[in-house]
Amino acid sequence: MSAQGVALLLLWLNGCSWALWRYYTNTPNYYIFSTRSTIKLEYEGTLFSEWSVPSTCSVKNKTSPKTELRCSSPGFHTIRPIVKGPDLEEERYLSVDSTLVCFLWYYKLINFSHNLTQVMILWVVDPENADSHELQWNASEPSLNSIILSKQLASLGQKPSINTFLKKKVYFPHGKMKNGTWQISMPMSVEDVIKEIKGYKVAFQDCFIADFLLVLAFPLSTIPEIPGFLPISSPRGSQLMSDWLACLVSSAIVVADMETFQSNDSFRTWSRIRVPPNILTDDERHSVSDVNLSYNGVFFLIKGTLYLKNVTTFTRLGSNENLPEGGIIGITSRKWCWLKYLLKDTERRSTMAIWTRNEVYLGYTPHNFVKIMTTEKLGKILNISPAATLTIHNVEYTGHPLELALLLNYCVTCNVVKKIYLVIYNEDTKQLVHQDFALTVTTDSFIIPRFLYSALPQLILWDKHRIYYCYHNFTDIGVLQTPTESGNLSKLSHDSIIHDVFIDYYGYILVKMENNIMFYFKINIRDATKLHLWTNNVTKSAIFLHTSAEIYILNVFDNGTIRIQDYPIRLEAQSVAFKTNEKCPFMAFYHNASHIYHLLDKGQNLSVWVQIVYPENIGLYMIVESYGPKILEEKNYIHYEIALGYCTKTMKITFSQNVNYEAVDDYFQLQYQNTGLMLVQVRPSEYTKACPIGPKVFQIAVGCDTSKFIVVKGFKEKEYLHPDFFYSIEKSYLRDRPSENLRVKYSWKKYGSPLRLHFREKFHPLIQLYNDNGYVEDVEANFIVWEIHGRDDYSFNNTMKTSGCLHAAQTWKSMTELNKHLPLEEAWGPENYKHCFSYAIGKPGDLNQPYEIINKSNYNHLIWPMHHTGMYVFRVKILDPNYSFCPLTAVFAIEIYGVIPSPSGYLVASLLLLLMLLFFSILVLSYFHYMRIYRQYIYTPIYKTERKQKSN
């Protein structure tokens, strides 16, 4: 037998490694695949002879299994290895672009936990001239070529910036370029994690820099490896189990049959998770049946019991955490990232679900689980016969941020077949909805669901051999078809069974078999296509997402090591589509819905536009679909153009509110009915696997934006530099007229700095609206003020008559008398506000009373008493019922000065009496004094005359 025959025989007898070939570029995630790129070809097998390439491409070494390819012209190029023997190796149709984008941004991140900031060091890389560390993404500083390139571009005016998608913030470099790098500092964020590195449109040698999309959040540390701890793994021979954080895909975990691996940087670096000895038996340590990664640690399901491994402990969870001690058959977490959402009835959202055959639990923290459903309760809700058997088959979070799907087994005899039903549970409203879905399978079948990234509930399900699709809110259900074998993927993959199904945000769906054969289709597509081989059948692999939302394949080897490979799903899909001559029916599909979350307050509308360009006479259109409460009105305007054989349709979609909340019977109930969360998606009417993009999905929430707040213009931010002090309010100045003066503590922390006004100065509060991003607008709606300590010794300069009232307006006095059972701050508000500008509302009265409602334009001012000073702490409340769902209030303080205090009447009378007594006393004393003097001079002459005596 020839050497070739021996090789073929050994390959057949071993049943191990298939022959296959792959291609790579120096660009991470195949960002740049152009005529300037060096394409590295790699053949894996023993029968290789040479490479077959078209004349427009050149190969460095045609007979080497590993070589380099360059194509000088754009387009599809047929590349195929020629092998020895009668069999032909599969060919690929590589789509080479002619883009002018040649360079990439390279970044290195430094985290500073003490002040919660991140510093990104940036430079420009030419993939064709970068060093090995830059290509492997582990460089600590730029190479010489990158330094020269970065400085050259900087001299031409290039400067990077980091743009966030959700809050639309932009961060620029601080300081000058240093050693060929820029440095950008930004705060760590939990919500605003989607970022893009962008630069100016500056070209060097006719080449531009590609923008770089990434997910950047709080850094998470991995669980440290501790000497003496033991491996934890799945049963021997089992396939890989994986999980990642939905909003931080770089943090991931994979369980193999020899170890468990973790990473926080998409497995560029990784470590092992091991558990302390003497907690699990050897059999239990190698019996992991499911795994779930969370921000608080890693959950392992082992023989029906849940365990939690975090940085410090390895704990068995049970009755202390409100979980069963055993019998758990599955755990799951959210697959889609929704950083923002609106909750109406609850204050929190679960992070994972746990279920047994008869119970479902939701987890909120590592030690807080709540039982939400039992099969007994489900049977009553669904009106299931007591004679039938109802158990929980599987549980999965949907594409909606607040919903959970339960798959239920239903059977009567349960010998041959069973039915699988589906119900959706809303965590916020606690509503359970039975969907129009029923799947008949054999009793030993296990069905796994996976919901798609869409507005309407859409999912795919699979058993060992087939994929079931369920599109358009359970109106389109069937078995995913293939060109042959009627959708049985096992028969098309050498009797292998389905290992996993991977779905991304762009609508790509990959079905991975256990022997690494993969099938491909897209959302709303009813047939699948077999992809080219990428990984041999003996390597265990799993599919993950990069921080840039691109796909990579993780390979785990028997020696306990792992390796990652970027997977060019876009190029592979284009190759298959070119081979099958499948084309996308439209040329372009644009929209301006860049935000994925829109929160509308009262009176606010949302407008988006969608545009589709397609060849003439095809007749495409755009479809808008929504899911959730019908709380918004939708109006569409379509503009149509045709030129040069192409049609352009543009549709403007406006979502609006038309509810009047003024003078209604139940203000709060009406608010509740008209708030909620809607999911909206826009998509073309026709779609194929060759189309590059999927439907655009976004949320519209109607309700209170908790980031909103109001302030009174002119008041400083709250200060803590001054000590608190006490002051007294005269009892006669208080609304309730108590028997004693009120002693009040002034808190600088609560009330801020008071505004000092002369008692003759009137004050008109100007209310301003702010949110997390800063100033929004001046509030023009009506508002009211009141002194929070009960003072009523102030008034308003406008009267009801001068304000234009046709009947007596509401006042604090009238509203507190009407609502004596409520505290002062609740007696008057938007829920019971009625205006005074109509004869149909209210009753006639004295229109010369002060008008106590203020707005920006009515020039109604606060006026102060003329005979005393004081400290006033006011609270302002928005009164207009059509302004906001939020109870917007603010506090401001005013200190009145300038009044000379009037003395007390008792004091004045006492002083007068004292003065009169003093006066009369002096008068009387002076009288007696002068009388004594007068008497003395009356009886005693002043001058004595001397008479001479006669001498005898």
Side-chain angles (χ1 to χ4, degrees):
M1 184 180 293
S2 65
Q4 177 183 341
V6 172
L8 286 171
L9 179 62
L10 289 175
L11 183 65
W12 178 78
L13 289 175
N14 292 334
C16 53
S17 180
W18 296 327
L20 55 90
W21 67 280
R22 294 179 288 262
Y23 54 94
Y24 307 97
T25 67
N26 291 332
T27 308
N29 305 312
Y30 300 83
Y31 276 132
I32 302 172
F33 201 81
S34 67
T35 54
R36 192 176 181 273
S37 302
T38 299
I39 304 171
K40 299 178 181 180
L41 303 178
E42 177 185 86
Y43 182 85
E44 186 176 308
T46 58
L47 305 178
F48 176 79
S49 177
E50 63 179 28
W51 294 100
S52 172
V53 299
S55 58
T56 54
C57 300
S58 60
V59 181
K60 186 175 182 179
N61 187 346
K62 196 172 185 178
T63 59
S64 173
K66 293 184 178 181
T67 188
E68 294 180 357
L69 171 74
R70 283 183 177 271
C71 295
S72 58
S73 63
F76 284 91
H77 302 279
T78 304
I79 311 297
R80 179 173 63 88
I82 300 174
V83 296
K84 302 172 184 176
D87 295 332
L88 295 177
E89 189 58 76
E90 63 177 350
E91 59 187 8
R92 281 184 170 91
Y93 304 91
L94 298 186
S95 176
V96 178
D97 200 358
S98 60
T99 178
L100 296 177
V101 175
C102 313
F103 307 137
L104 292 173
W105 291 108
Y106 189 99
Y107 74 90
K108 177 187 176 185
L109 196 65
I110 303 175
N111 298 306
F112 296 95
S113 57
H114 67 281
N115 58 0
L116 300 180
T117 59
Q118 295 172 313
V119 174
M120 182 177 286
I121 302 175
L122 289 158
W123 64 86
V124 184
V125 171
D126 179 2
E128 301 304 317
N129 296 288
D131 69 6
S132 59
H133 293 291
E134 290 174 328
L135 295 178
Q136 295 171 9
W137 210 263
N138 57 12
S140 58
E141 59 184 15
S143 63
L144 180 59
N145 287 335
S146 298
I147 291 175
I148 295 172
L149 178 61
S150 299
K151 288 184 176 181
Q152 182 65 44
L153 285 165
S155 67
L156 296 173
Q158 183 59 266
K159 181 182 291 187
S161 64
I162 298 176
N163 300 258
T164 68
F165 266 65
L166 298 180
K167 295 187 177 181
K168 298 299 180 181
K169 293 186 177 181
V170 182
Y171 301 96
F172 295 98
H174 52 83
K176 297 181 179 180
M177 173 180 276
K178 184 178 180 181
N179 297 327
T181 65
W182 295 272
Q183 292 189 4
I184 300 179
S185 178
M186 54 192 167
M188 296 180 183
S189 176
V190 176
E191 294 182 348
D192 206 12
V193 298
I194 304 176
K195 298 177 173 66
E196 187 175 28
I197 305 173
K198 303 183 74 172
Y200 298 134
K201 299 301 180 183
V202 175
F204 176 65
Q205 295 181 351
D206 294 329
C207 282
F208 294 90
I209 308 174
D211 296 336
F212 193 92
L213 184 70
L214 70 157
V215 177
L216 203 62
F218 266 88
L220 294 180
S221 59
T222 56
I223 300 173
E225 292 186 43
I226 299 178
F229 279 21
L230 303 175
I232 184 170
S233 67
S234 57
R236 193 67 182 171
S238 59
Q239 292 293 314
L240 301 182
M241 291 182 289
S242 60
D243 194 32
W244 58 85
L245 297 177
C247 294
L248 190 59
V249 294
S250 58
S251 292
I253 188 170
V254 62
V255 180
D257 59 359
M258 85 292 289
E259 289 278 4
T260 296
F261 306 93
Q262 62 172 341
S263 175
N264 59 5
D265 58 359
S266 299
F267 286 100
R268 289 194 182 99
T269 61
W270 49 272
S271 60
R272 298 175 178 87
I273 293 180
R274 296 192 169 188
V275 296
N278 304 322
I279 294 181
L280 299 175
T281 65
D282 289 344
D283 181 53
E284 289 174 332
R285 281 194 302 104
H286 300 293
S287 299
V288 175
S289 58
D290 209 344
V291 66
N292 178 257
L293 179 63
S294 76
Y295 288 97
N296 301 298
V298 182
F299 292 89
F300 292 99
L301 181 59
I302 301 173
K303 292 186 177 294
T305 302
L306 195 63
Y307 294 84
L308 172 63
K309 180 72 173 77
N310 56 28
V311 176
T312 58
T313 61
F314 181 67
T315 310
R316 174 174 176 161
L317 305 181
S319 57
N320 292 335
E321 292 77 23
N322 196 32
L323 284 174
E325 296 290 343
I328 299 174
I329 60 176
I331 57 176
T332 189
S333 59
R334 301 185 186 276
K335 301 299 187 295
W336 303 114
C337 177
W338 293 107
L339 292 168
K340 291 186 176 182
Y341 44 86
L342 179 70
L343 293 170
K344 287 176 59 176
D345 298 320
T346 58
E347 297 180 353
R348 57 182 181 173
R349 186 181 71 150
S350 66
T351 58
M352 66 181 299
I354 302 101
W355 67 97
T356 66
R357 285 175 53 86
N358 301 300
E359 297 171 334
V360 179
Y361 299 80
L362 294 182
Y364 299 93
T365 66
H367 302 287
N368 185 4
F369 296 87
V370 177
K371 183 196 296 186
I372 62 162
M373 195 61 61
T374 64
T375 51
E376 181 181 359
K377 184 177 179 180
L378 284 167
K380 293 178 180 178
I381 295 174
L382 303 177
N383 198 21
I384 299 294
S385 169
T389 301
L390 185 70
T391 59
I392 296 171
H393 181 83
N394 212 327
V395 177
E396 182 70 10
Y397 284 99
T398 71
H400 192 283
L402 302 175
E403 290 187 346
L404 182 76
L406 312 180
L407 265 65
L408 307 175
N409 291 320
Y410 171 80
C411 57
V412 179
T413 58
C414 304
N415 293 326
V416 181
V417 296
K418 63 182 179 182
K419 284 186 177 295
I420 294 182
Y421 294 124
L422 189 146
V423 295
I424 290 182
Y425 174 78
N426 189 293
E427 289 190 51
D428 189 31
T429 63
K430 305 296 188 295
Q431 291 181 347
L432 194 72
V433 180
H434 182 204
Q435 303 296 330
D436 186 14
F437 173 86
L439 185 64
T440 302
V441 296
T442 58
T443 53
D444 60 345
S445 295
F446 183 70
I447 303 296
I448 302 174
R450 189 67 50 83
F451 279 81
L452 307 179
Y453 184 66
S454 62
L456 300 178
Q458 300 189 106
L459 72 153
I460 58 171
L461 311 97
W462 68 92
D463 54 20
K464 292 181 178 181
H465 312 292
R466 284 183 170 84
I467 301 288
Y468 306 89
Y469 62 82
C470 186
Y471 296 146
H472 309 310
N473 201 9
F474 304 98
T475 60
D476 186 4
I477 302 174
V479 177
L480 190 72
Q481 294 301 305
T482 52
T484 59
E485 305 299 343
S486 301
N488 190 323
L489 302 184
S490 295
K491 292 183 179 180
L492 295 173
S493 52
H494 307 287
D495 295 325
S496 182
I497 62 175
I498 298 174
H499 170 215
D500 198 7
V501 176
F502 176 86
I503 310 169
D504 72 0
Y505 290 90
Y506 302 106
Y508 289 101
I509 304 175
L510 295 178
V511 182
K512 179 188 169 300
M513 311 300 287
E514 288 191 348
N515 61 1
N516 293 325
I517 290 177
M518 290 194 292
F519 296 86
Y520 154 76
F521 64 107
K522 298 197 77 172
I523 184 172
N524 298 328
I525 302 299
R526 299 165 184 81
D527 62 283
T529 303
K530 189 176 181 180
L531 289 171
H532 305 297
L533 290 175
W534 190 265
T535 307
N536 63 58
N537 63 328
V538 297
T539 302
K540 292 181 178 179
S541 63
I543 304 173
F544 288 88
L545 270 179
H546 275 298
T547 55
S548 56
E550 299 293 337
I551 294 173
Y552 70 95
I553 295 178
L554 174 75
N555 298 320
V556 179
F557 301 99
D558 292 336
N559 61 359
T561 60
I562 61 178
R563 185 185 67 181
I564 60 172
Q565 294 177 331
D566 293 337
Y567 184 68
I569 178 61
R570 179 180 57 85
L571 294 171
E572 292 291 272
Q574 288 176 346
S575 174
V576 173
F578 184 84
K579 182 178 181 180
T580 58
N581 200 29
E582 185 174 15
K583 298 184 182 299
C584 185
F586 54 87
M587 309 299 295
F589 183 69
Y590 302 110
H591 57 80
N592 72 333
S594 58
H595 290 273
I596 61 174
Y597 180 79
H598 302 269
L599 180 55
L600 304 184
D601 210 334
K602 290 178 181 177
Q604 293 182 335
N605 301 329
L606 174 66
S607 294
V608 297
W609 59 261
V610 189
Q611 186 179 81
I612 188 170
V613 182
Y614 57 92
E616 190 178 2
N617 299 325
I618 292 184
L620 298 183
Y621 54 94
M622 293 152 289
I623 298 175
V624 182
E625 298 169 313
S626 62
Y627 175 74
K630 304 302 180 183
I631 52 180
L632 293 173
E633 294 185 5
E634 178 186 329
K635 292 182 180 180
N636 298 333
Y637 170 78
I638 298 178
H639 178 72
Y640 180 80
E641 293 180 358
I642 183 169
L644 301 176
Y646 290 96
C647 299
T648 301
K649 281 184 181 179
T650 304
M651 179 167 60
K652 181 181 179 181
I653 313 154
T654 301
F655 299 94
S656 60
Q657 309 172 67
N658 293 300
V659 181
N660 185 8
Y661 295 92
E662 186 173 343
V664 296
D665 294 333
D666 194 333
Y667 171 82
F668 295 108
Q669 179 63 25
L670 185 62
Q671 277 198 146
Y672 183 85
Q673 293 172 355
N674 288 281
T675 56
L677 182 64
M678 288 177 54
L679 262 65
V680 180
Q681 70 181 17
V682 289
R683 61 180 179 87
S685 58
E686 293 184 22
Y687 197 70
T688 68
K689 295 189 293 295
C691 295
I693 58 175
K696 173 59 183 179
V697 182
F698 56 92
Q699 294 184 64
I700 304 179
V702 180
C704 174
D705 183 357
T706 56
S707 69
K708 284 184 176 181
F709 61 95
I710 58 173
V711 299
V712 180
K713 184 178 180 179
F715 286 82
K716 299 178 181 178
E717 296 183 358
K718 294 179 173 57
E719 300 176 349
Y720 311 103
L721 302 178
H722 303 279
D724 296 344
F725 61 90
F726 291 87
Y727 64 94
S728 293
I729 303 175
E730 169 66 32
K731 59 186 178 182
S732 61
Y733 305 156
L734 296 172
R735 190 183 303 272
D736 297 331
R737 301 299 186 265
S739 58
E740 296 180 355
N741 295 344
L742 179 65
R743 190 168 184 260
V744 175
K745 178 182 179 181
Y746 188 90
S747 172
W748 290 85
K749 182 178 180 180
K750 290 182 180 179
Y751 310 139
S753 300
L755 176 66
R756 299 189 77 242
L757 292 177
H758 191 269
F759 75 99
R760 296 186 185 277
E761 291 184 73
K762 298 182 292 185
F763 180 69
H764 178 79
L766 177 61
I767 310 303
Q768 295 181 322
L769 181 67
Y770 284 78
N771 61 18
D772 288 344
N773 295 323
Y775 171 81
V776 178
E777 64 180 7
D778 288 347
V779 176
E780 299 185 358
N782 290 339
F783 60 90
I784 52 176
V785 297
W786 70 97
E787 212 283 335
I788 66 174
H789 300 305
R791 299 186 73 143
D792 63 352
D793 57 330
Y794 59 91
S795 188
F796 302 83
N797 69 318
N798 283 3
T799 64
M800 298 177 187
K801 185 176 182 179
T802 58
S803 297
C805 288
L806 301 177
H807 62 80
Q810 293 173 326
T811 63
W812 276 110
K813 182 179 179 181
S814 64
M815 297 308 292
T816 51
E817 289 178 355
L818 188 63
N819 300 286
K820 295 180 179 179
H821 61 290
L822 296 175
L824 177 65
E825 60 270 14
E826 298 179 14
W828 193 9
E831 66 275 10
N832 55 17
Y833 167 69
K834 295 179 181 179
H835 66 78
C836 63
F837 307 110
S838 172
Y839 288 111
I841 303 175
K843 298 178 181 180
D846 182 10
L847 299 185
N848 293 318
Q849 301 177 73
Y851 185 64
E852 299 183 2
I853 299 172
I854 312 174
N855 60 44
K856 182 182 178 181
S857 59
N858 70 355
Y859 300 105
N860 198 8
H861 292 72
L862 290 166
I863 56 177
W864 318 106
M866 304 293 290
H867 56 276
H868 62 267
T869 60
M871 180 72 75
Y872 297 83
V873 181
F874 288 101
R875 186 178 297 276
V876 57
K877 177 198 290 188
I878 300 297
L879 188 63
D880 188 346
N882 290 312
Y883 183 73
S884 177
F885 289 105
C886 302
L888 297 173
T889 64
V891 175
F892 65 98
I894 293 178
E895 181 184 1
I896 302 300
Y897 71 93
V899 177
I900 300 175
S902 300
S904 170
Y906 296 106
L907 180 61
V908 173
S910 301
L911 288 174
L912 287 175
L913 180 60
L914 182 61
L915 289 173
M916 290 176 65
L917 287 174
L918 181 62
F919 174 75
F920 283 110
S921 299
I922 295 173
L923 185 62
V924 171
L925 291 173
S926 64
Y927 170 78
F928 286 106
H929 177 69
Y930 284 108
M931 284 300 295
R932 185 175 61 82
I933 295 174
Y934 291 154
R935 283 174 184 169
Q936 180 181 352
Y937 285 102
I938 289 173
Y939 298 103
T940 306
I942 300 177
Y943 303 102
K944 292 182 180 181
T945 56
E946 293 183 2
R947 293 182 179 180
K948 295 181 179 180
Q949 293 183 357
K950 295 179 178 182
S951 61
N952 295 328

